[in-house]
Amino acid sequence: MDPAPSPVRCHVVTGKGGTGKTTVAAALALALAADGRQVLLVETEGRQGIAQLFDTPPLPYEERRVAVTRGGGEVKALAIDVEEALLEYLEMFYNLRRAGRALRRVGAVDFATTIAPGLRDVLLTGKVKEAVTRRRPDGRPVHDAVVVDAPPTGRITRFLNVTGEMAGLTRSGPIKTQSDGVMAVLKSPQTAVHLVTLLEDMPVQETADAIADLTAVGLPLGSVVVNMATEPALPEPELVRAATDGLTGEDLAPALTAAGLQDVPGLADALAAEATEHARRWAAQDALRDEVEAMGRPTLELPLLPGPIDLGALFELAGRLEAHLRAEVAA
């Protein structure tokens, strides 16, 4: 991930459900749009999560500006509608947009994408590919970067590996041509797949599995983002001691008494139990940090922010992402 000129222009963001991948995708779009750049943020799952984050009406199937960044940069957002994407496809390859609208009225679009799930992913990724490769009359890209809020890690390889998914359905014709064109972009240096995780067992394991699966099919990896990371509430020596041996009320009682607090025995026991639990949870998170580091990808931690995620919070996270991107460039 690089806010300076870079061969990577398609940033695919995935993560286990609940890790905050949509928030990270939105913050990444803001970071990439700094200093006058034009960035498109694409939603693929129809949840309208991007609209909620930017406090805008539901996104239509057209690009809409959702934020302005430093230096006049812009983030535009697009929610891909599978039916509209299919109509575009029919018009592009078969000149059948009117017929496609008739098919939609009788439910044929849902039927087609249900019996051939790979077709749905071809349509979604095809729209992403079109956004990445679209050019101005002077030959410059319309978008300096495209950020994709992609499906979760459990489905990301199938979603991106559209040629493999469509191989059993078609070996020639426009669908094959379209999927091959998509893969040419997704497997090129223009693309990087970034994975969002939490310091919890299941998200870390899914991240490792997704890295292995993406690598096996030749899809390019980017960074691992550890989201919603917390700071330790105790100095390191006390953390180690509490995690190893545990704390008792007797350890804390003298300090509480000196502070003039009442009901010292009960308060000391409660605080000792909480501190021990915190320290052991932190030790478990540290072990998971080691697992993330062993994945061999550039890694960034984003903090757990208080309160709801609003535009101010997104810009705060974007600032941390910018710093991370610049550090990668310098390295």
Side-chain angles (χ1 to χ4, degrees):
M1 302 187 299
D2 180 0
S6 164
V8 178
R9 295 184 50 252
C10 179
H11 298 262
V12 179
V13 180
T14 184
K16 179 177 168 57
T19 59
K21 69 177 179 65
T22 300
T23 299
V24 172
L28 176 59
L30 290 172
L32 291 166
D35 297 328
R37 299 184 185 89
Q38 305 296 308
V39 175
L40 178 64
L41 177 58
V42 178
E43 181 172 290
T44 62
E45 295 186 279
R47 295 184 296 105
Q48 291 293 338
I50 291 171
Q52 294 173 33
L53 283 173
F54 287 96
D55 194 22
T56 69
L59 297 173
Y61 186 57
E62 60 185 30
E63 296 172 13
R64 173 191 291 171
R65 187 175 71 181
V66 293
V68 177
T69 64
R70 183 181 68 243
E74 288 187 339
V75 174
K76 293 182 178 180
L78 165 71
I80 301 179
D81 180 271
V82 175
E83 289 188 348
E84 289 295 334
L86 179 57
L87 294 180
E88 279 190 355
Y89 174 83
L90 291 173
E91 182 178 35
M92 182 183 304
F93 289 105
Y94 299 103
N95 195 26
L96 287 176
R97 188 175 185 88
R98 183 176 299 178
R101 293 191 183 281
L103 289 172
R104 180 168 61 178
R105 284 197 295 271
V106 299
V109 172
D110 286 340
F111 177 73
T113 55
T114 298
I115 64 171
L119 176 59
R120 180 185 183 90
D121 291 344
V122 168
L123 295 170
L124 292 171
T125 54
K127 187 63 179 177
V128 171
K129 176 249 187 183
E130 185 275 330
V132 173
T133 58
R134 194 188 315 157
R135 300 279 170 172
R136 305 177 191 271
D138 62 5
R140 293 184 299 119
V142 171
H143 305 294
D144 294 301
V146 175
V147 179
V148 183
D149 179 18
T153 46
R155 206 171 77 79
I156 188 63
T157 303
R158 187 168 71 251
F159 173 74
L160 295 175
N161 191 32
V162 291
T163 298
E165 292 300 308
M166 293 302 295
L169 295 175
T170 178
R171 300 185 183 279
S172 62
I175 293 178
K176 179 66 162 56
T177 301
Q178 172 80 334
S179 61
D180 285 348
V182 169
M183 291 311 301
V185 171
L186 294 181
K187 287 191 173 183
S188 76
Q190 294 183 79
T191 298
V193 183
H194 309 297
L195 300 105
V196 182
T197 188
L198 305 178
L199 291 176
E200 298 174 3
D201 290 329
M202 286 299 295
V204 169
Q205 185 59 56
E206 282 204 17
T207 299
D209 293 343
I211 287 175
D213 292 343
L214 291 164
T215 301
V217 298
L219 286 160
L221 297 170
S223 297
V224 174
V225 178
V226 176
N227 198 23
M228 294 184 270
T230 56
E231 295 293 329
L234 296 171
E236 186 173 356
E238 283 79 0
L239 271 176
V240 173
R241 177 190 168 196
T244 304
D245 302 323
L247 294 176
T248 67
E250 293 179 358
D251 295 318
L252 304 180
L256 296 176
T257 300
L261 297 176
Q262 303 297 317
D263 188 25
V264 166
L267 181 59
D269 288 341
L271 287 175
E274 186 173 341
T276 299
E277 180 185 355
H278 168 77
R280 287 173 177 166
R281 184 168 59 247
W282 185 259
Q285 289 182 346
D286 255 1
L288 290 169
R289 279 189 176 89
D290 292 340
E291 291 187 28
V292 171
E293 184 177 351
M295 295 174 191
R297 304 307 311 162
T299 302
L300 165 69
E301 288 197 11
L302 294 179
L304 174 64
L305 298 180
I309 298 295
D310 56 14
L311 191 57
L314 287 177
F315 271 107
E316 181 176 344
L317 296 176
R320 293 174 181 264
L321 282 162
E322 259 195 277
H324 171 69
L325 302 174
R326 289 204 169 93
E328 281 194 342
V329 172

